[in-house]
Amino acid sequence: MDSLTLFCTTFLLAGGLYWFVCVLGSAEQKGKHAAQLSGGSIDKEKVQDNYKQYWSFFGRPKEIETAEKVPAFVDTFYNLVTDIYEWGWGQSFHFSPSIPGKSYRDATRIHEEMAVDLLGVKKGARILDAGCGVGGPMRAIAAHSSANVVGITINEYQVNRARMHNEKAGLDSLCEVVCGNFLQMPFPDSSFDGVYSIEATCHAPNLEEVYSEIYRVLKPGSLYVSYEWVTTEFYNPENPEHVEIIHGIERGDALPGLRSYRDIAQIAKKVGFEVVKEKDLAKPPAKPWWTRLKMGRIAYWRNHILVTVLTWLGIAPKGVVDVHEMLFVTADYLTRGGETGIFTPMHMVLCRKPEHSNSSD
């Protein structure tokens, strides 16, 4: 091979890698590039060990049913997946119904804005995002409502990412992020004018505990809205395929166990809430929320090749390939859950804390 051919070949390979990483490799909202993939707060050398540790939790299922063990379990999961979520999905780690004529980003924003519209808060109100991730919903909601949004997440890496995004978006004056456990929040009683959680409380080992804590920090007369991950009326625990799908979703998304849609309102009432409205937002006429997962399969294989190359080059830590593959398998289970109708990630419940109530009720 002569020098000119070698130069051209090297140039094309370098240009192709740059295009793959910097053009195709960036997230939908340009928050993360493939070359920046990491293990969150985990040291680069320990990502693979933490991936193995995550899976070891499922060998001790009783541990992921207790409030003591779940924080470490969920924190490990989000250290492993946050960068991949941002890179391949965007800054809002949740689903939304497809809307004809709208982009996925717009459909996501509309789904988020609906949450704060249901709360009915005014400009300047102080509201809580329970389980805020890197703050995609928080920023959309603050921009839409001019409310002051406080987000809480258990993962310190997500706190730092959210603060960076808030400042970059010019919304840091409206958005505050706290590192903490939503089962034991560092906020005074009756300190928020509204609370929302978007596909977050599914990580709680006991929904009653997180609903009780939200009830405590919410002002009397104010509203709380949650989009819950649940099994639907079509789920049959005697059907092996149904059980396989639900277990696949649980294992790939750090869930102590999916709840039935029947449980949600009952638990809300048990802690003292009045249930104002309850609805599965995935039901027709809503368009399938899983369409985006199915359309992303080609992108997955492209991204998987890229992640493999970056790991081989030592740019991405060992273990990232395993995490990426786990999320692809989980996406298939989520799609099957949507197509069979046995699972929804958007069972909405709107609750009010009674006007005359004490936080300790």
Side-chain angles (χ1 to χ4, degrees), residues 234-247 340 342:
F234 300 111
Y235 174 66
N236 178 3
E238 304 301 319
N239 183 319
E241 182 188 5
H242 288 189
V243 173
E244 178 198 356
I245 291 169
I246 297 305
H247 283 177
T340 57
I342 66 172

Side-chain angles (χ1 to χ4, degrees), residues 11 18 22 44 69 98 109 189 199 212 287 301 314 358:
F11 179 80
Y18 174 83
C22 297
K44 185 176 181 179
K69 297 291 184 179
S98 299
R109 175 182 52 77
D189 294 355
E199 302 182 29
S212 293
K287 301 300 181 182
W301 288 112
N358 298 316

